Amino acid sequence: MRRLRPRPGVRILGTLTVATIMAGSIAPRTRACAALAAVDTTAGQSRRRRRAACPRVLPPGPGFDCPMSADWLRDAVIYEIYPQSYADSDGDGIGDLRGVIDRLDYIASLGIDAIWFNPCFASPFLDAGYDVADYLTVAPRYGTNDDLVELVAKARERGIRVLLDLVVGHTSTAHAWFQEELAAAGPNPAGDRFIWRTDPPDSGWGIDLPGIPAWVRSPGPRPGWYLKNFYDTQPALNFGWVRPDAALPWRAGVDAPGPRRNREALREILDFWLSKGVAGFRVDMAFSLVKDEFVAEGRLESVAIWREIRGWMESAYPEAVLIPEGEEPRDGRGFAFDADFALVIHEAHASLFDNHGAGALPWHTPREPFFDAAGQGSTEVFLRMWDQWRAADDQRPVIVASADHDFSRLRCGARNPEQLGAAFTLLFTWGSIPSLYYGDEIGMRYLPGMPNVEGAVCHPAYNRAGCRTPMQWDDGPNAGFSDADPADLYLPVDPAPDRPTVAAQDGVGGSTLTLVRELLALRRATPALQGRAPTRVVNAGYPFAWTRGESHLVVVNPRAEAAALEDARAGSGRLIWGSGARTRPGGLDLDGFGYGIIEI
């Protein structure tokens, strides 16, 4: 049996033993082993418990243990992989699918249910693959379609599903569809796939920022302008307009020939990958399909397209999921997507974790984060948004990530490993669907000053490259990411001598990696800590405390100053997980950065 070893000066009271879970004292989920692939320490040497001892491998087939249902997502843990930076198997300095295949046992050892890949389709990579040139072909730098099919199958053997990032609001200007229309003298009789005009633009959105549609002059030979969706090299696909105008041929309705062609193509793309075993899609800019100068109305009309897609998927691939980038607009007609996504760049998530170490999000009101040593933050914004997300359905799944590819990392600025335990305790037990960003499980740092690679700087106030640096596997060259010359790497590796690595933390009590593995094992073994039991706030300040169902109380103190919770349930309950937490009659005391999970 093993315990989480305390960090210096902090007492660990709660314990999680693999033997206890395996023996059934902590009831495992029926769909997977509670213990995962635990790491035992014997005579100073770490060893990985053989997976044969842990019946987590689920039967082959797209539904796993939830046949004909996408309900598996509610209790899942997602692992986001930025493929360029995860593992390079061929020495060219860029991560690839074979590198991920080689690391699947590691991913399984974390307790992951689904991998979410950032775009891996053919692309000129002017926006890191979010500029797609061919939806049906894996980018050669990552491998082949056969490699992706193999990855899906081998992940499935380990009980892991694969989700792909889908970008369908726009393509790259290098896409054959755009090149065909660019070379044409005028509109396609079958309907244009993109939005072209020859009359000079005299109106629009009035904001010149990536992510806001704008007109771009055609480089020819086709005359006029085309509508972009993000960067100038990302022309918007034509899904129609909320307000068509017969006097303006480019402003067609959603049922015009061009939009119908694109809806048919969208279904064909989904079918192509779902038929190969992919479990679903995270859809980039999902609500940017239908255009309107009143953006909210265009978003609502875009939902109608996805609802049509959802109807088809429920018949053809009922176990597959759709996840949007952000919150699905509510129109009172039911959901098209399986969850909402609390984006790192949006205010709710930022109010918890954005310590401004990665720059500024200019559309936010500046505030101190709740998870910060100074203890000057508030949970008010997050809790208000949580209530809003669940207003239409109190069981609505919401994905909350540790970080992602679009801004920073959990360990950013002055935040150090000691502070990560409280953050992971929230992320893995709140009742949301956790999304763990690659490298956060070892406390990889956001690196300022990175070069602007593949469109990483989309606003002068921040640089996304700092959260996209190569995965740090060991202390070898390039941190074990690649055998390439350092000058050929996708991005530089963290140069710090004390950079965290998987090898240095694997099997080490008290490490961030051990914490993540054990906390996810506890989550898997304890249904109340997953995605279905009600979450009720007990204290919204420091310490932040909430109950899960009627059986567990979770308390975190993300500031440096000690905190106390006055609650009789804490005093009389059993602390099963924690660091720097002490029960007493009538309550619980926490050291700075302490956390605890109590059976009540």
Side-chain angles (χ1 to χ4, degrees):
M1 301 198 311
R2 63 187 281 268
R3 305 170 181 266
L4 179 66
R5 293 189 179 92
R7 60 182 187 263
V10 180
R11 181 184 178 198
I12 301 288
L13 295 180
T15 64
L16 173 67
T17 66
V18 172
T20 300
I21 298 174
M22 295 292 284
S25 297
I26 301 178
R29 289 162 55 178
T30 57
R31 64 181 296 265
C33 171
L36 307 177
V39 178
D40 290 356
T41 302
T42 305
Q45 295 183 349
S46 66
R47 61 180 173 84
R48 183 88 18 87
R49 187 180 296 275
R50 294 182 62 83
R51 296 198 60 80
C54 177
R56 185 170 184 269
V57 177
L58 301 175
F64 289 81
D65 62 325
C66 300
M68 309 304 287
S69 171
D71 192 55
W72 62 268
L73 181 64
R74 186 177 296 273
D75 294 323
V77 177
I78 297 170
Y79 188 60
E80 182 188 354
I81 291 179
Y82 189 72
Q84 297 95 311
S85 294
Y86 198 66
D88 172 21
S89 71
D90 59 9
D92 66 354
I94 296 176
D96 48 53
L97 297 180
R98 181 62 52 188
V100 178
I101 291 171
D102 292 342
R103 300 290 184 171
L104 282 174
D105 283 340
Y106 166 78
I107 296 168
S109 80
L110 298 175
I112 298 302
D113 298 287
I115 296 169
W116 157 31
F117 282 105
N118 295 112
C120 54
F121 307 124
S123 169
F125 291 101
L126 299 178
D127 185 22
Y130 284 89
D131 46 334
V132 178
D134 184 348
Y135 289 103
L136 306 184
T137 302
V138 167
R141 75 182 195 180
Y142 297 142
T144 67
N145 284 17
D146 288 342
D147 290 332
L148 182 53
V149 171
E150 179 185 348
L151 192 158
V152 168
K154 289 186 173 179
R156 185 179 299 266
E157 292 172 1
R158 294 161 173 81
I160 299 172
R161 293 171 167 86
V162 172
L163 306 172
L164 300 182
D165 214 322
L166 184 67
V167 189
V168 291
H170 55 264
T171 70
S172 164
T173 51
H175 197 292
W177 293 344
F178 185 82
Q179 289 297 310
E180 178 184 353
E181 293 190 4
L182 182 65
N188 188 326
D192 277 339
R193 290 193 181 276
F194 300 89
I195 302 172
W196 300 86
R197 66 187 297 173
T198 54
D199 54 309
D202 56 2
S203 64
W205 286 261
I207 303 174
D208 185 16
L209 287 174
I212 302 296
W215 295 101
V216 178
R217 183 177 290 276
S218 171
R222 184 165 179 168
W225 292 260
Y226 65 86
L227 192 70
K228 72 167 185 174
N229 219 33
F230 197 80
Y231 289 137
D232 287 3
T233 55
Q234 293 166 307
L237 281 164
N238 179 16
F239 286 93
W241 293 73
V242 175
R243 296 174 178 81
D245 188 337
L248 301 172
W250 52 266
R251 197 178 178 103
V254 295
D255 289 321
R260 286 203 309 270
R261 290 179 73 200
N262 283 337
R263 291 204 303 273
E264 291 168 3
L266 172 56
R267 183 179 298 188
E268 290 169 2
I269 294 165
L270 296 175
D271 184 63
F272 182 84
W273 293 111
L274 291 172
S275 69
K276 298 181 184 305
V278 168
F281 302 88
R282 178 266 193 188
V283 184
D284 183 71
M285 296 182 68
F287 308 112
S288 70
L289 305 190
V290 180
K291 302 304 180 189
D292 192 81
E293 287 81 5
F294 297 96
V295 175
E297 296 188 30
R299 287 168 56 85
L300 285 172
E301 286 299 321
S302 297
V303 172
I305 291 176
W306 290 113
R307 190 174 290 112
E308 177 184 302
I309 291 292
R310 163 60 64 196
W312 164 75
M313 284 179 58
E314 286 180 350
S315 174
Y317 299 99
E319 73 289 341
V321 299
L322 286 176
I323 298 168
E325 182 186 19
E327 173 190 350
E328 179 173 348
R330 274 52 168 168
D331 63 3
R333 292 184 288 173
F335 291 112
F337 288 81
D338 292 281
D340 291 314
F341 206 132
L343 296 181
V344 171
I345 61 172
H346 286 179
E347 199 170 23
H349 192 284
S351 72
L352 297 180
F353 300 115
D354 178 16
N355 62 10
H356 319 299
L361 295 169
W363 47 87
H364 288 181
T365 301
R367 57 168 51 86
E368 295 304 309
F370 184 73
F371 282 78
D372 190 71
Q376 300 299 310
S378 169
T379 60
E380 186 274 330
V381 174
F382 173 76
L383 293 176
R384 172 164 45 83
M385 291 303 300
W386 181 263
D387 290 342
Q388 178 177 311
W389 292 324
R390 291 199 154 186
D393 177 3
D394 61 8
Q395 291 294 306
R396 175 66 168 171
V398 180
I399 298 170
V400 181
S402 62
D404 66 24
H405 62 286
D406 261 343
F407 183 48
S408 66
R409 281 195 174 275
L410 189 60
R411 187 178 174 191
C412 183
R415 187 174 294 132
N416 61 42
E418 186 181 19
Q419 298 172 254
L420 301 183
F424 279 125
T425 300
L426 170 76
L427 290 164
F428 295 160
T429 72
W430 173 252
S432 53
I433 298 170
S435 179
L436 178 63
Y437 188 47
Y438 84 96
D440 279 357
E441 73 270 20
I442 58 171
M444 278 180 58
R445 292 175 273 233
Y446 173 88
L447 301 182
M450 286 289 105
N452 181 13
V453 173
E454 296 185 354
V457 178
C458 62
H459 190 282
Y462 64 98
N463 180 356
R464 299 178 292 178
C467 67
R468 299 175 175 183
T469 56
M471 181 67 175
Q472 294 157 199
W473 294 103
D474 56 42
D475 289 331
N478 301 321
F481 162 70
S482 173
D483 294 331
D485 187 291
D488 294 331
L489 297 184
Y490 177 75
L491 281 167
V493 173
D494 185 348
D498 65 344
R499 66 190 178 207
T501 67
V502 172
Q505 297 186 22
D506 193 11
V508 176
S511 70
T512 302
L513 179 58
T514 295
L515 182 149
V516 166
R517 282 173 167 157
E518 292 195 346
L519 186 51
L520 286 179
L522 177 61
R523 184 183 192 274
R524 186 174 299 278
T526 312
L529 298 179
Q530 298 165 18
R532 301 171 194 269
T535 301
R536 296 185 178 90
V537 175
V538 174
N539 187 61
Y542 296 98
F544 188 24
W546 61 93
T547 57
R548 297 301 316 283
E550 303 299 326
S551 60
H552 289 77
L553 172 68
V554 185
V555 189
V556 299
N557 179 30
R559 69 183 183 186
E561 181 183 348
L565 177 70
E566 303 303 325
D567 190 298
R569 294 170 297 180
S572 61
R574 182 171 73 93
L575 186 61
I576 62 172
W577 171 271
S579 176
R582 297 170 296 280
T583 58
R584 56 171 167 77
L588 179 77
D589 295 322
L590 294 105
D591 295 338
F593 311 130
Y595 48 91
I597 300 175
I598 302 103
E599 280 186 341
I600 56 177

